Amino acid sequence: MGFEALVDVADLNGDGPLPGGVWDVSLTTGSDAAPIGPDHEPGLDTSPRRRFLADSTTVIAYFGVRGTLAIDVGGRPHTAGSTAADSLAWNDHDDELVVTGHFPFHDVTMPVSATLTLRRRDSDRVYEVIAALAAGDDGLAYTAAVPLTRAFVDDPLPRGTWEVFLMLTYSGIHRELRVLAPEQPIELQVWRRLRHTPVTTTRAPEPLAITVGRH
């Protein structure tokens, strides 16, 4: 059984444009509903399709990491679940905390960028670090180095407890993953501003958080 459906995003059923947000697309037959996408025709071009409404609102039709079709109206950042970090390591040469991990993203033909975003628990302050990406058998691997002591070269991560997220950007789509802590946490003392400062991280299965100083 075949089907065809036309979705007028600019004027849905005469009620105006489709509201902003991410809309999952499914097909309902009788009392059964099934997401569209996982069993698509072989050779179908699954790259995101981006268009603009008359008011310049971005509309993107795309297949998510599970192969299901969705429509993103507005292109704003949205939460897309979580991903566990593979490891944490201290780079003694550059005084950096290195976070590595991977996530299931297999359509490496499209440009993808990633940012490690840290949010301080007791304020609205945000600290961002560019994450390097590399294609692997399990999707895309990422590596991000968080500076902790280089006050005269970079702005080091300030004191406080920082929750860690990974922001992915591709074809105008912004998706944020909560980073979960690995099995082995980090506990160390770093030398900054003429005194030793403790740096600790949470342990799996908790969400990853980095604490600089005593809190």
Side-chain angles (χ1 to χ4, degrees), residues 24-35:
D24 295 322
V25 183
S26 60
L27 179 67
T28 301
T29 55
S31 59
D32 298 325

Side-chain angles (χ1 to χ4, degrees), residues 41-103:
E41 286 290 323
L44 177 69
D45 181 6
T46 59
S47 59
R49 308 296 178 88
R50 180 168 53 174
R51 297 292 185 271
F52 298 94
L53 300 182
D55 61 356
S56 299
T57 298
T58 303
V59 177
I60 307 164
Y62 69 99
F63 291 89
V65 295
R66 296 180 179 84
T68 56
L69 180 63
I71 301 174
D72 184 331
V73 181
R76 292 184 294 273
H78 293 281
T79 301
S82 61
T83 182
D86 293 332
S87 66
L88 301 173
W90 175 247
N91 179 352
D92 191 59
H93 181 269
D94 294 320
D95 291 344
E96 296 172 331
L97 179 63
V98 181
V99 184
T100 59
H102 69 278
F103 52 92

Side-chain angles (χ1 to χ4, degrees), residues 22 72 74-80 119 167-169 172-176:
V22 178
D72 184 331
R76 292 184 294 273
H78 293 281
T79 301
R119 296 192 176 94
M167 178 68 75
L168 306 177
T169 302
I173 300 171
H174 306 277
R175 294 294 177 266
E176 185 177 78

Side-chain angles (χ1 to χ4, degrees), residues 103 112-114 131-135 140-143 166 168:
F103 52 92
V112 184
S113 62
L133 298 176
L140 283 178
Y142 67 88
T143 302
L166 186 69
L168 306 177

Side-chain angles (χ1 to χ4, degrees), residues 5-202:
L6 301 179
V7 181
D8 187 353
V9 179
D11 190 13
L12 191 65
N13 297 327
D15 295 328
L18 188 66
V22 178
W23 298 83
D24 295 322
V25 183
S26 60
L27 179 67
T28 301
T29 55
S31 59
D32 298 325
I36 294 176
D39 299 319
H40 61 70
E41 286 290 323
L44 177 69
D45 181 6
T46 59
S47 59
R49 308 296 178 88
R50 180 168 53 174
R51 297 292 185 271
F52 298 94
L53 300 182
D55 61 356
S56 299
T57 298
T58 303
V59 177
I60 307 164
Y62 69 99
F63 291 89
V65 295
R66 296 180 179 84
T68 56
L69 180 63
I71 301 174
D72 184 331
V73 181
R76 292 184 294 273
H78 293 281
T79 301
S82 61
T83 182
D86 293 332
S87 66
L88 301 173
W90 175 247
N91 179 352
D92 191 59
H93 181 269
D94 294 320
D95 291 344
E96 296 172 331
L97 179 63
V98 181
V99 184
T100 59
H102 69 278
F103 52 92
F105 192 101
H106 298 283
D107 193 355
V108 294
T109 58
M110 70 175 71
V112 184
S113 62
T115 302
L116 199 70
T117 301
L118 298 91
R119 296 192 176 94
R120 198 159 76 179
R121 284 180 180 171
D122 58 355
S123 74
D124 57 358
R125 187 165 183 180
V126 176
Y127 188 96
E128 295 182 336
V129 177
I130 295 174
L133 298 176
D137 295 336
D138 297 329
L140 283 178
Y142 67 88
T143 302
V146 182
L148 290 175
T149 69
R150 297 177 298 168
F152 299 106
V153 179
D154 296 307
D155 180 23
L157 185 66
R159 287 175 173 266
T161 296
W162 299 82
E163 298 179 338
V164 183
F165 301 83
L166 186 69
M167 178 68 75
L168 306 177
T169 302
Y170 53 97
S171 297
I173 300 171
H174 306 277
R175 294 294 177 266
E176 185 177 78
L177 300 171
R178 184 68 163 96
V179 179
L180 305 180
E183 291 292 337
Q184 298 298 324
I186 287 288
E187 295 184 10
L188 51 87
Q189 297 272 346
V190 298
W191 185 256
R192 52 188 284 170
R193 292 180 173 84
L194 303 180
R195 67 179 61 186
H196 282 104
T197 303
V199 176
T200 59
T201 66
T202 49

